[in-house]
Amino acid sequence: MKRVLITGAAGFLGSHLCDKFIDNGYQVVGMDNLITGNLENIEHLFPNKNFEFYHHDVSKFVHVSGQIDYILHFASPASPIDYLKIPIQTLKVGSLGTHNLLGFAKAKNARILVASTSEIYGDPDVHPQKEEYWGNVNSVGPRGVYDEAKRFQEAITMAYHTYHGLETRMVRIFNTYGPRMRLDDGRALPAFMSQALEGKDLTVFGDGSQTRSFCYVDDLIEGIYRLLLSDYALPVNIGNPSEITIKDFAEEIIKLTGTENKVIYKPLPKDDPKQRCPDITKAKEILGWEPKVDRAEGLKRTYEFFKQKLNK
Ligand code: UDP
């Protein structure tokens, strides 16, 4: 049986990865410092004999005894309001945390996959974004703490690959949504859905003409799983190329929820990317992967989750 370490295990993506690996017959060691993660997301896994959990901050020395075959590093604040609230921790988990996990991977002779992001492209002036595009990031802007930590993460991961021959994988994750997102994480989808459910107007930032491309979580997790098991060490975009303006996205959620509330406009946060859409040619060619769940279906499933969560 293969044994896999998943950092950020109690978070949105980390918890779905734990489920995926348990379902596929792996032993899973989850690790999380629970700053933005929530044990509720993995509560159902604790009775499973193939699941263990460590409450630990990976910015500090990481050790787990016994065999580890794969490591997936998904620990990090990931929503703009989180990383603005805890900028130093965000920088540390992407830099020191990644360094610790790379060292740990080397000691265990394990393969490591790190969670990178479309944010490494910054406010892109190439559209859609291909992996070869180097990006347009303001290092000293408010988003720099996340973007530059993730850029450093890619650089040090590549260095361990090149200089130590470590088996490494890098996924560049575009906007993802689905059950287990935090209602209060400030991102567009949880914000709009919780506003609709709580009888508030939906707050669109700027004029709402900025675009994003939203991928349903199950599709993303399948892409990550395939990338881990592939032999491709350079970064791969995983996301859904179906692009939409934020204003239209808010309107879709108004229609879905049947709310009487309207869109209201608030100031655009500094350095908010104007457009974002993944070029997924590489994922198609190398992993035979493309998204399967369209936005109408994904939003419906997510809305059911948020409704239940709020009723609780
Ligand atoms: N956004 C918005 N209203 C909100 C939250 C976000 O209009 O209440 C906008 C935000 O300015 C951005 C887009 O929605 O243009 C996506 O924001 P999110 O925080 O979800 O992700 P990111 O900016 O990291 O892609």
Side-chain angles (χ1 to χ4, degrees):
M1 221 177 179
K2 300 259 190 213
R3 191 159 174 249
V4 48
L5 169 67
I6 298 174
T7 75
F12 168 45
L13 298 182
S15 66
H16 283 284
L17 284 168
C18 289
D19 285 341
K20 176 80 176 177
F21 282 87
I22 288 283
D23 290 348
N24 282 277
Y26 293 76
Q27 291 187 334
V28 171
V29 180
M31 193 173 273
D32 204 300
N33 66 0
L34 302 177
I35 290 188
T36 58
N38 185 345
L39 283 179
E40 255 179 45
N41 290 335
I42 47 171
E43 200 64 58
H44 60 287
L45 292 175
F46 279 81
N48 192 314
K49 65 175 183 1
N50 290 327
F51 184 72
E52 298 161 78
F53 180 75
Y54 293 94
H55 183 195
H56 179 69
D57 179 350
V58 298
S59 303
K60 312 221 165 75
F61 182 78
V62 174
H63 181 71
V64 175
S65 61
Q67 155 208 350
I68 292 285
D69 303 288
Y70 299 126
I71 298 165
L72 292 107
H73 180 27
F74 278 70
S76 177
S79 88
I81 60 162
D82 284 344
Y83 50 76
L84 294 184
K85 224 181 289 166
I86 43 173
I88 313 292
Q89 285 97 325
T90 303
L91 280 158
K92 281 170 74 177
V93 73
S95 55
L96 307 180
T98 303
H99 188 205
N100 288 336
L101 288 159
L102 287 164
F104 179 63
K106 187 163 151 261
K108 294 283 183 185
N109 204 15
R111 179 182 299 177
I112 180 169
L113 180 148
V114 297
S116 189
T117 165
S118 55
E119 279 286 314
I120 71 116
Y121 302 121
D123 187 4
D125 36 31
V126 167
H127 195 73
Q129 292 80 53
K130 284 188 200 302
E131 289 86 349
E132 288 73 25
Y133 174 51
W134 289 355
N136 175 34
V137 170
N138 176 6
S139 60
V140 294
R143 301 170 84 102
V145 294
Y146 183 68
D147 302 5
E148 296 295 358
K150 292 291 189 180
R151 291 175 68 94
F152 174 84
Q153 177 184 66
E154 289 196 359
I156 193 169
T157 300
M158 205 59 219
Y160 266 73
H161 177 73
T162 307
Y163 296 105
H164 291 308
L166 192 69
E167 286 215 49
T168 57
R169 306 287 179 267
M170 294 185 233
V171 57
R172 289 188 183 150
I173 299 169
F174 283 66
N175 295 65
T176 303
Y177 69 99
R180 302 188 191 155
M181 289 186 101
R182 262 176 30 230
L183 268 169
D184 64 348
D185 89 353
R187 286 188 271 192
L189 179 136
F192 296 159
M193 282 204 178
S194 58
Q195 287 159 347
L197 283 163
E198 289 167 348
K200 296 179 184 150
D201 289 329
L202 280 68
T203 53
V204 166
F205 299 159
D207 64 4
S209 65
Q210 70 273 31
T211 68
R212 294 293 186 273
S213 306
F214 295 94
C215 184
Y216 188 66
V217 62
D218 291 0
D219 283 332
L220 182 94
I221 296 296
E222 177 62 29
I224 291 168
Y225 187 73
R226 289 189 192 194
L227 178 60
L228 176 73
L229 300 182
S230 78
D231 57 8
Y232 191 75
L234 288 170
V236 177
N237 289 339
I238 300 282
N240 189 325
S242 163
E243 188 180 2
I244 185 171
T245 67
I246 292 301
K247 182 177 179 307
D248 289 348
F249 189 55
E251 295 294 349
E252 279 190 359
I253 291 175
I254 286 178
K255 210 183 262 170
L256 170 75
T257 59
T259 174
E260 311 262 284
N261 307 305
K262 304 266 170 302
V263 162
I264 54 169
Y265 293 89
K266 299 268 182 189
L268 189 68
K270 184 164 161 43
D271 297 342
D272 198 284
K274 283 182 276 308
Q275 51 183 4
R276 185 184 284 155
C277 180
D279 180 323
I280 58 164
T281 309
K282 216 164 242 178
K284 280 186 185 160
E285 283 174 6
I286 295 167
L287 313 174
W289 174 89
E290 62 183 322
K292 298 253 181 311
V293 181
D294 68 14
R295 210 167 44 242
E297 174 59 27
L299 287 179
K300 216 163 64 188
R301 292 186 204 172
T302 309
Y303 183 49
E304 287 310 312
F305 168 83
F306 280 135
K307 265 201 294 202
Q308 280 178 16
K309 187 110 187 152
L310 266 184
N311 283 340
K312 262 203 215 157

